[in-house]
PDB file of all heavy atoms in Angstrom:
ATOM      1  N   GLN W  92       3.840   1.406  -1.128  1.00  0.00           N
ATOM      2  CA  GLN W  92       4.533   1.579  -2.456  1.00  0.00           C
ATOM      3  C   GLN W  92       3.599   2.110  -3.459  1.00  0.00           C
ATOM      4  O   GLN W  92       3.961   2.949  -4.277  1.00  0.00           O
ATOM      5  CB  GLN W  92       4.913   0.095  -2.953  1.00  0.00           C
ATOM      6  CG  GLN W  92       6.265  -0.405  -2.268  1.00  0.00           C
ATOM      7  CD  GLN W  92       6.674  -1.642  -2.870  1.00  0.00           C
ATOM      8  OE1 GLN W  92       5.834  -2.446  -3.295  1.00  0.00           O
ATOM      9  NE2 GLN W  92       7.947  -1.906  -2.781  1.00  0.00           N
ATOM     10  N   LEU W  93       2.341   1.687  -3.428  1.00  0.00           N
ATOM     11  CA  LEU W  93       1.396   2.311  -4.400  1.00  0.00           C
ATOM     12  C   LEU W  93       1.212   3.772  -4.189  1.00  0.00           C
ATOM     13  O   LEU W  93       1.078   4.560  -5.090  1.00  0.00           O
ATOM     14  CB  LEU W  93      -0.028   1.530  -4.198  1.00  0.00           C
ATOM     15  CG  LEU W  93      -0.001   0.048  -4.733  1.00  0.00           C
ATOM     16  CD1 LEU W  93      -1.359  -0.516  -4.423  1.00  0.00           C
ATOM     17  CD2 LEU W  93       0.260   0.015  -6.283  1.00  0.00           C
ATOM     18  N   THR W  94       1.204   4.149  -2.912  1.00  0.00           N
ATOM     19  CA  THR W  94       1.010   5.539  -2.586  1.00  0.00           C
ATOM     20  C   THR W  94       2.245   6.330  -3.088  1.00  0.00           C
ATOM     21  O   THR W  94       2.086   7.488  -3.628  1.00  0.00           O
ATOM     22  CB  THR W  94       0.806   5.686  -1.108  1.00  0.00           C
ATOM     23  OG1 THR W  94      -0.307   4.944  -0.637  1.00  0.00           O
ATOM     24  CG2 THR W  94       0.511   7.193  -0.711  1.00  0.00           C
ATOM     25  N   ALA W  95       3.345   5.783  -2.870  1.00  0.00           N
ATOM     26  CA  ALA W  95       4.597   6.523  -3.293  1.00  0.00           C
ATOM     27  C   ALA W  95       4.710   6.605  -4.787  1.00  0.00           C
ATOM     28  O   ALA W  95       5.202   7.566  -5.291  1.00  0.00           O
ATOM     29  CB  ALA W  95       5.823   5.856  -2.750  1.00  0.00           C
ATOM     30  N   GLN W  96       4.161   5.607  -5.586  1.00  0.00           N
ATOM     31  CA  GLN W  96       4.229   5.595  -6.948  1.00  0.00           C
ATOM     32  C   GLN W  96       3.287   6.567  -7.615  1.00  0.00           C
ATOM     33  O   GLN W  96       3.386   6.994  -8.743  1.00  0.00           O
ATOM     34  CB  GLN W  96       4.079   4.190  -7.536  1.00  0.00           C
ATOM     35  CG  GLN W  96       5.200   3.238  -7.189  1.00  0.00           C
ATOM     36  CD  GLN W  96       4.870   1.856  -7.595  1.00  0.00           C
ATOM     37  OE1 GLN W  96       3.853   1.583  -8.151  1.00  0.00           O
ATOM     38  NE2 GLN W  96       5.904   0.935  -7.313  1.00  0.00           N
ATOM     39  N   ALA W  97       2.164   6.866  -6.906  1.00  0.00           N
ATOM     40  CA  ALA W  97       1.157   7.700  -7.548  1.00  0.00           C
ATOM     41  C   ALA W  97       0.811   8.879  -6.678  1.00  0.00           C
ATOM     42  O   ALA W  97      -0.200   8.891  -6.030  1.00  0.00           O
ATOM     43  CB  ALA W  97      -0.158   6.839  -7.847  1.00  0.00           C
ATOM     44  N   PRO W  98       1.796   9.803  -6.527  1.00  0.00           N
ATOM     45  CA  PRO W  98       1.525  10.981  -5.655  1.00  0.00           C
ATOM     46  C   PRO W  98       0.467  11.849  -6.276  1.00  0.00           C
ATOM     47  O   PRO W  98       0.379  11.980  -7.519  1.00  0.00           O
ATOM     48  CB  PRO W  98       2.905  11.700  -5.598  1.00  0.00           C
ATOM     49  CG  PRO W  98       3.578  11.234  -6.914  1.00  0.00           C
ATOM     50  CD  PRO W  98       3.105   9.890  -7.166  1.00  0.00           C
ATOM     51  N   SER W  99      -0.277  12.491  -5.435  1.00  0.00           N
ATOM     52  CA  SER W  99      -1.314  13.411  -5.873  1.00  0.00           C
ATOM     53  C   SER W  99      -0.701  14.673  -6.398  1.00  0.00           C
ATOM     54  O   SER W  99       0.182  15.301  -5.718  1.00  0.00           O
ATOM     55  CB  SER W  99      -2.322  13.755  -4.804  1.00  0.00           C
ATOM     56  OG  SER W  99      -1.685  14.278  -3.740  1.00  0.00           O
ATOM     57  N   LYS W 100      -1.066  15.259  -7.508  1.00  0.00           N
ATOM     58  CA  LYS W 100      -0.658  16.422  -8.018  1.00  0.00           C
ATOM     59  C   LYS W 100      -1.847  17.443  -8.328  1.00  0.00           C
ATOM     60  O   LYS W 100      -2.878  16.999  -8.764  1.00  0.00           O
ATOM     61  CB  LYS W 100       0.106  16.202  -9.398  1.00  0.00           C
ATOM     62  CG  LYS W 100       1.364  15.424  -9.200  1.00  0.00           C
ATOM     63  CD  LYS W 100       2.055  15.275 -10.595  1.00  0.00           C
ATOM     64  CE  LYS W 100       3.370  14.471 -10.374  1.00  0.00           C
ATOM     65  NZ  LYS W 100       4.091  14.364 -11.705  1.00  0.00           N
ATOM     66  N   VAL W 101      -1.581  18.681  -8.008  1.00  0.00           N
ATOM     67  CA  VAL W 101      -2.535  19.735  -8.241  1.00  0.00           C
ATOM     68  C   VAL W 101      -2.111  20.598  -9.454  1.00  0.00           C
ATOM     69  O   VAL W 101      -0.946  21.093  -9.407  1.00  0.00           O
ATOM     70  CB  VAL W 101      -2.658  20.643  -7.048  1.00  0.00           C
ATOM     71  CG1 VAL W 101      -3.691  21.721  -7.269  1.00  0.00           C
ATOM     72  CG2 VAL W 101      -3.072  19.847  -5.820  1.00  0.00           C
ATOM     73  N   SER W 102      -2.879  20.660 -10.506  1.00  0.00           N
ATOM     74  CA  SER W 102      -2.500  21.371 -11.659  1.00  0.00           C
ATOM     75  C   SER W 102      -2.511  22.842 -11.424  1.00  0.00           C
ATOM     76  O   SER W 102      -3.035  23.361 -10.388  1.00  0.00           O
ATOM     77  CB  SER W 102      -3.612  21.017 -12.767  1.00  0.00           C
ATOM     78  OG  SER W 102      -4.864  21.502 -12.350  1.00  0.00           O
ATOM     79  N   ARG W 103      -1.860  23.639 -12.376  1.00  0.00           N
ATOM     80  CA  ARG W 103      -1.759  25.031 -12.210  1.00  0.00           C
ATOM     81  C   ARG W 103      -3.196  25.685 -12.311  1.00  0.00           C
ATOM     82  O   ARG W 103      -3.383  26.635 -11.553  1.00  0.00           O
ATOM     83  CB  ARG W 103      -0.879  25.629 -13.358  1.00  0.00           C
ATOM     84  CG  ARG W 103       0.567  25.209 -13.172  1.00  0.00           C
ATOM     85  CD  ARG W 103       1.333  25.888 -14.214  1.00  0.00           C
ATOM     86  NE  ARG W 103       2.775  25.550 -14.157  1.00  0.00           N
ATOM     87  CZ  ARG W 103       3.759  26.048 -15.052  1.00  0.00           C
ATOM     88  NH1 ARG W 103       3.370  26.766 -16.037  1.00  0.00           N
ATOM     89  NH2 ARG W 103       4.985  25.673 -14.782  1.00  0.00           N
ATOM     90  N   SER W 104      -4.021  25.155 -13.160  1.00  0.00           N
ATOM     91  CA  SER W 104      -5.376  25.732 -13.175  1.00  0.00           C
ATOM     92  C   SER W 104      -6.091  25.574 -11.874  1.00  0.00           C
ATOM     93  O   SER W 104      -6.821  26.458 -11.447  1.00  0.00           O
ATOM     94  CB  SER W 104      -6.088  25.076 -14.393  1.00  0.00           C
ATOM     95  OG  SER W 104      -6.283  23.618 -14.171  1.00  0.00           O
TER      96      SER W 104
END
Side-chain angles (χ1 to χ4, degrees):
Q92 282 185 331
L93 290 174
T94 305
Q96 291 174 358
S99 60
K100 294 184 179 180
V101 180
S102 65
R103 291 183 178 179
S104 60

